[in-house]
Amino acid sequence: MHFDNTPFDRLTIGDTAETTRACTADDLYVFARSSGNRNPMHLPEADGDLDGVPEGIAPMLWVASLVSEVLGNKLPGPGTMYRSQTLTAHTAARVGDTLTARVTLLAKGDGRLARFSTEVLREDGTLILSGEAEVIAPDRPQSFDGSDVPDLLLRRHVHFERLLKLAEPLAPLRTAVVAPEEAKSLGGALLALSHTLIEPILLGDPARIEAAADEIGADLKGIRIIPIPENRLAAARAVALVREGRADAIMKGHLHTDVLLHPMLDSDTGLRAGRRLSHIFVMDVPGLKQLLFVTDAAINIAPDLKTKVDIVQNAIDLARALGIEEPKVGILSAVETVNFAIPSTMDAAILSKMAERGQITGGAVDGPLAMDNAVDLEAARTKGLTSVVAGKADILVAPNLEAGNMLAKELSFIAHAAAAGVVIGASCPVILNSRSDDDEARLASCAVAALYHARAKTPG
């Protein structure tokens, strides 16, 4: 990103320059944050005039900033200082429009003053904005490398927004919510109900559930409550509801995960489906172009090779249910080569070969991979890795629960990722939220479970 200027003495009347770019939703969010202007008319998904349709209109000063880009980068270029700018708006620009900003030199004056006509046009030639700008042109040649300007990372979770839209047409998932006896767990279930993602069946102590509802100002009218004060018995009843065909999923409330999962593992009355249960974080990481899956971070503490086969297959099946037809699976370790002193590297190599031989299906599997060369293409190239997975992994399989949990928490609390949590491998999905999860994560977990359930019911 290199810019050269045109000093004042080299400017000629009629000189012109332009730039073209698309107006994106991110542009409007950045402008709202930097300017402080939160007018809903200029926010991509807000309905500013209450007509039922989001406007997504680009602020006129954002449109005018494209003129500033031309003056500052191209003509006259680096070293230019604004004196004045007039603007006349002719029509609105919206998200998705491709805009061209053009400046033409009209006159030169004392003190290196240069006057330009300015205009911004839509791709079809429609005039969006016109005016004149006066600038003080630079007095000497200058080149500038703009590549050192820091990048911006927006904390938007566009992938979760997509999942929610995909789940919207589905019938609500009949969900046994176990011990929703405090504000967040009950509130998450009711929020998912309001978005028609689930149809909750509340199992727990009615007095505690009512107290939680009072705390958040919720009305439980019309919601089925099965009174079971003891968590262990409530979890067992949830399993029974699934076995009886009266529930399609189970959701964790205010109880320990091991208490919730224990009755599912019973060989006679549980929900075993031929595989080991495993936990999967579905993560929307700002700046990443796709969802990122991290497993196992909550159930299998030190999985052996047989368990890792199920962990990998569960994650592939979930990723496919969310629209990734051939997910790329990176088996993580500390290094990307087999090292006999690091057992996880040997497990990774075996898992990769098993996938090649069809013993793991539905995705591409490679390992061992270190974290950097699993997700960064340049890091993979530096290490000479050329597989279809290296640098492009959708699924990260941790060597043990400690590594998986730390990776997921680092992504959440340092990289500002949003994380949905589900357990796969039983005969129904299990929605497993953390007490620290916000509303977005709780909704996304329900959407993930609904999409997985719908895929599981689809023949073939």
Side-chain angles (χ1 to χ4, degrees):
M1 194 176 294
H2 192 79
F3 307 109
D4 297 306
N5 72 1
T6 302
F8 180 78
D9 60 3
R10 297 183 188 175
L11 289 173
T12 302
I13 305 302
D15 284 350
T16 187
E18 64 182 40
T19 189
T20 299
R21 62 181 287 184
C23 176
T24 69
D26 284 354
D27 289 324
L28 304 199
Y29 285 124
V30 169
F31 185 86
R33 173 65 69 176
S34 61
S35 69
N37 179 4
R38 311 295 177 89
N39 181 352
M41 295 293 289
H42 303 311
L43 296 177
E45 297 174 3
D47 179 12
D49 58 7
L50 304 180
D51 65 352
V53 180
E55 279 68 46
I57 295 173
M60 226 11 102
L61 286 182
W62 179 83
V63 177
S65 73
L66 303 184
V67 172
S68 177
E69 178 185 346
V70 182
L71 293 169
N73 292 346
K74 295 186 175 182
L75 186 71
T80 298
M81 291 295 294
Y82 249 118
R83 281 287 302 273
S84 67
Q85 172 79 62
T86 64
L87 300 172
T88 299
H90 299 278
T91 190
R94 286 180 163 82
V95 170
D97 286 346
T98 297
L99 305 175
T100 296
R102 181 178 299 122
V103 304
T104 303
L105 182 61
L106 298 176
K108 298 170 66 176
D110 296 336
R112 305 200 312 277
L113 198 66
R115 182 163 58 90
F116 291 85
S117 67
T118 63
E119 59 182 4
V120 179
L121 303 99
R122 196 181 291 131
E123 193 172 22
D124 62 4
T126 301
L127 184 63
I128 304 295
L129 175 151
S130 64
E132 290 189 0
E134 285 190 338
V135 302
I136 300 173
D139 63 350
R140 66 196 72 182
Q142 183 185 125
S143 295
F144 180 73
D145 182 0
S147 60
D148 289 338
V149 175
D151 289 333
L152 295 178
L153 184 63
L154 296 185
R155 290 175 60 178
R156 288 184 64 213
H157 298 123
V158 294
H159 304 304
F160 276 5
E161 293 169 9
R162 178 181 61 83
L163 291 182
L164 291 173
K165 288 180 181 177
L166 285 175
E168 274 180 6
L170 301 177
L173 194 64
R174 297 175 301 165
T175 304
V177 187
V178 182
E181 298 167 353
E182 54 82 47
K184 280 199 169 183
S185 58
L186 178 62
L190 298 182
L191 182 66
L193 168 64
S194 71
H195 284 72
T196 68
L197 291 170
I198 71 169
E199 178 188 323
I201 306 164
L202 309 182
L203 300 90
D205 186 322
R208 293 195 189 115
I209 294 172
E210 289 287 353
D214 290 342
E215 183 179 342
I216 61 177
D219 183 1
L220 299 179
K221 184 178 179 180
I223 298 175
R224 184 183 177 192
I225 300 176
I226 300 177
I228 308 178
E230 188 176 342
N231 289 347
R232 176 180 59 85
L233 297 178
R237 181 67 180 126
V239 169
L241 288 174
V242 174
R243 289 178 63 90
E244 294 163 7
R246 300 183 183 185
D248 305 310
I250 293 174
M251 185 176 187
K252 179 187 174 185
H254 190 56
L255 77 166
H256 291 295
T257 299
D258 57 347
V259 175
L260 177 73
L261 298 181
H262 186 267
M264 299 182 200
L265 303 176
D266 188 281
S267 57
D268 296 320
T269 61
L271 299 177
R272 290 180 179 273
R275 278 195 215 146
R276 187 69 173 257
L277 271 65
S278 61
H279 177 271
I280 304 166
F281 274 120
V282 182
M283 311 202 75
D284 189 337
V285 185
L288 203 61
K289 293 181 180 179
Q290 77 279 354
L291 287 167
L292 188 67
F293 300 73
V294 177
T295 188
D296 181 332
I299 295 180
N300 296 288
I301 298 173
D304 59 15
L305 180 60
K306 184 176 185 299
T307 300
K308 287 181 179 180
V309 172
D310 287 346
I311 288 172
V312 172
Q313 191 66 66
N314 286 341
I316 290 173
D317 291 350
L318 180 62
R320 286 170 58 84
L322 302 189
I324 306 173
E325 283 308 313
E326 190 178 9
K328 295 178 278 292
V329 184
I331 312 297
L332 296 182
S333 187
V335 294
E336 62 283 342
T337 54
V338 172
N339 185 323
F340 296 124
I342 306 177
S344 63
T345 65
M346 292 184 283
D347 285 352
I350 294 170
L351 291 166
S352 300
K353 181 56 70 174
M354 291 178 71
E356 284 183 21
R357 299 285 175 87
Q359 292 173 274
I360 297 171
T361 62
V365 181
D366 191 20
L369 293 173
M371 180 65 188
D372 57 346
N373 47 60
V375 298
D376 185 88
L377 199 54
E378 189 58 37
R381 287 170 177 160
T382 298
K383 293 293 181 70
L385 302 175
T386 57
S387 79
V388 297
V389 176
K392 299 171 285 188
D394 303 301
I395 299 169
L396 301 177
V397 179
N400 54 47
L401 182 144
E402 292 170 301
N405 195 273
M406 284 187 282
L407 172 57
K409 294 295 174 61
E410 286 165 357
L411 288 169
S412 293
F413 290 95
I414 297 177
H416 308 297
V422 292
V423 174
I424 302 298
S427 58
C428 76
V430 181
I431 301 164
L432 205 63
N433 287 118
S434 167
R435 281 174 291 181
S436 62
D437 285 345
D438 60 13
D439 287 347
E440 181 182 43
R442 292 173 186 274
L443 279 178
S445 295
C446 294
V448 167
L451 290 165
Y452 178 80
H453 175 73
R455 175 82 176 221
K457 290 196 308 179
T458 303

